Amino acid sequence: MVLKSLVIWLMFILVESLNGTARILWLVPALGNGLAHQVSFAIGSVLILTMATVLGPWLQASWVQRLPIFGADRLVDGRGNMRWKLQGLLPMMQASGTDVTH
């Protein structure tokens, strides 16, 4: 879970860095400093919203009473396995075996 969060955080940094670079290289010369900042802000907002929408399900997060629950259900070699944790730390539900499969 921490690794996935770190990967997404680094992706946000990369996208925002590219947005800032594009603003400096192309938008400022074409539109001027003030308008370039406004356009870059709008583009950055859309990029972050898009990334959050696309990458959010990859974290496999759910919410119960405003608290995040992280986990996954798996099926490996015909055996089911589920592991869900409150805030990614406290085990909430853990089960495995053929009874989980059905």
Side-chain angles (χ1 to χ4, degrees):
M1 181 63 211
V2 174
L3 181 61
K4 286 183 180 181
S5 299
L6 182 63
V7 168
I8 290 176
W9 179 64
L10 291 172
M11 289 175 71
F12 274 100
I13 291 172
L14 176 67
V15 167
E16 278 301 307
S17 297
L18 293 174
N19 183 33
T21 302
R23 178 179 51 83
I24 296 296
L25 292 178
W26 296 301
L27 291 177
V28 170
L31 303 174
N33 196 29
L35 186 57
H37 276 293
Q38 292 175 348
V39 170
S40 179
F41 179 81
I43 291 171
S45 298
V46 169
L47 288 172
I48 287 176
L49 181 62
T50 302
M51 285 182 63
T53 302
V54 170
L55 297 175
W58 184 53
L59 285 174
Q60 297 175 334
S62 181
W63 292 83
V64 174
Q65 298 293 327
R66 297 186 187 144
L67 295 172
I69 307 283
F70 299 98
D73 297 333
R74 295 181 182 92
L75 180 64
V76 178
D77 295 329
R79 291 179 52 93
N81 184 0
M82 66 171 64
R83 185 170 292 140
W84 292 88
K85 296 180 180 182
L86 178 65
Q87 297 205 357
L89 301 172
L90 299 171
M92 294 280 296
M93 184 184 327
Q94 210 167 357
S96 62
T98 57
D99 56 332
V100 177
T101 306
H102 300 287

